[in-house]
C-alpha cells in the first residue's frame, strides 16, 4: 500500500490538522505492515501558484516549451505522479478564511490536469484518479454545522471531480474557542480516527 500524506498547515509542529493526519497515517501503517508512506509538506516546500506564466507553459505543446516552461510543467508532473502512485491520500486541511490554505489550493491546481487526471466526455466530466481512498483531516477555529460548512463542500467537489470519490473527513473543530472547547474538538477528532475501520 502506498500512502501519501499532504501537509498544508503553516503552524509546523503546532498544527492540529497535521497531528490528526499523522494519526490517520499511523493507524493505516499499523493495519498494513509494509505500507510505504510518502509526504509532501506544502508549507515547508511550497508548490508555485498557478500564474500567467505557468498557464502559458501548460498550454504550450511539450515540444515547443522553453526550458523554463518545461521545468514549470515538470513540477506539476511530479505532484501528479505522486498522487497517481498513491492508494491512500491523507490531506491535512486547516480552515483559512473559510477555505483552504493557498498552498493546498496550489496542490489541487497542479494535480488537476485535463486528459490526465480528469477528462470531459459527452456525459460530463470524468475523474481519472480512481480507486483511491482519501482522508481529509480538517482543523478549524470555530464550529460549523454540516449544512453551513464553507470549506468541506469545496474540497469534496474537487476530490470527486478528480475521481477520488471515496473520502472521509475528520473534523477538529473549535480550535480557537478556548482550552476546553479546543480540547473537546481534538478529542472528537481522535474518537473519529479511533473508530475508522
Ligand atoms: C490565516 C488564518 C485564517 C483562519 N481562518 C479561519 C476561518 O475562516 N474559520 C475558522 O473557523 N478558523 C480559522 N482559523 C483558525 C484555524 O482554522 C485553526 O487555528 C486551525 O487549528 C488551523 O489548523 P492547523 O492547526 O492545522 O494549523 C484561521 C487561522 C489562520 C492562521
Amino acid at each position: 500500500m502506498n500512502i501519501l500524506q499532504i501537509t498544508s498547515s503553516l503552524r509546523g509542529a503546532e498544527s492540529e490538522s497535521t497531528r490528526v493526519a499523522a494519526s490517520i497515517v499511523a493507524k493505516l501503517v499499523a493495519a498494513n505492515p509494509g505500507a510505504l508512506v510518502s509526504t509532501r509538506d506544502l508549507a515547508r516546500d511550497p508548490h508555485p501558484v498557478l500564474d500567467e506564466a505557468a498557464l502559458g507553459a501548460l498550454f504550450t505543446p511539450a515540444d515547443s516549451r522553453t526550458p523554463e516552461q518545461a521545468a514549470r510543467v515538470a513540477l506539476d508532473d511530479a505532484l501528479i505522479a505522486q498522487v497517481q502512485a498513491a492508494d491512500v491520500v491523507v490531506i491535512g486541511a486547516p480552515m483559512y478564511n473559510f477555505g483552504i490554505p493557498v498552498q493546498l489550493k496550489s496542490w489541487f491546481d497542479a494535480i488537476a490536469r485535463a486528459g490526465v487526471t480528469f477528462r470531459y466526455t459527452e456525459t460530463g466530466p470524468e475523474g481519472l484518479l480512481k480507486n483511491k481512498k482519501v482522508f481529509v483531516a480538517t482543523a478549524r477555529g470555530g464550529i460549523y454545522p454540516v449544512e453551513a460548512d464553507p470549506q468541506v463542500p469545496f474540497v469534496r467537489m474537487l476530490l470527486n471531480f478528480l475521481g477520488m470519490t471515496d473520502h472521509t473527513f475528520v473534523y477538529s473543530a473549535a480550535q480557537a474557542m478556548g482550552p476546553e472547547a479546543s480540547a473537546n474538538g481534538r478529542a472528537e477528532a481522535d474518537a473519529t480516527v479511533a473508530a475508522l475501520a
Side-chain angles (χ1 to χ4, degrees), residues 9-11 14-18 93-99 139-144 172 175-176:
S9 169
L10 304 180
R11 298 198 317 125
E14 301 297 309
S15 164
E16 174 62 4
S17 62
T18 306
M95 182 186 286
Y96 286 169
N97 299 315
F98 308 109
R140 58 273 305 277
I143 297 174
Y144 302 85
S172 203
Q175 292 308 295

Side-chain angles (χ1 to χ4, degrees), residues 12-138:
E14 301 297 309
S15 164
E16 174 62 4
S17 62
T18 306
R19 184 190 73 80
V20 176
S23 75
I24 294 169
V25 170
K27 184 164 180 161
L28 288 166
V29 170
N32 299 277
L36 297 174
V37 181
S38 58
T39 57
R40 178 62 190 259
D41 186 334
L42 296 164
R44 301 252 155 91
D45 182 14
H47 191 78
V49 294
L50 179 62
D51 59 9
E52 188 176 356
L55 201 65
L58 285 160
F59 279 93
T60 301
D63 55 3
S64 304
R65 286 178 189 140
T66 65
E68 292 75 21
Q69 287 179 320
R72 178 62 184 85
V73 173
L75 293 177
D76 286 6
D77 289 344
L79 292 193
I80 290 171
Q82 198 178 31
V83 73
Q84 284 174 328
D87 303 299
V88 184
V89 184
V90 183
I91 300 172
M95 182 186 286
Y96 286 169
N97 299 315
F98 308 109
I100 56 176
V102 65
Q103 290 78 8
L104 184 55
K105 178 61 166 55
S106 292
W107 182 77
F108 277 113
D109 286 342
I111 67 167
R113 170 92 55 88
V116 179
T117 58
F118 71 92
R119 67 179 170 199
Y120 289 108
T121 71
E122 286 174 2
T123 52
E126 179 189 8
L128 301 176
L129 291 173
K130 294 179 178 170
N131 303 316
K132 299 181 193 305
K133 173 72 192 174
V134 179
F135 295 94
V136 181
T138 170

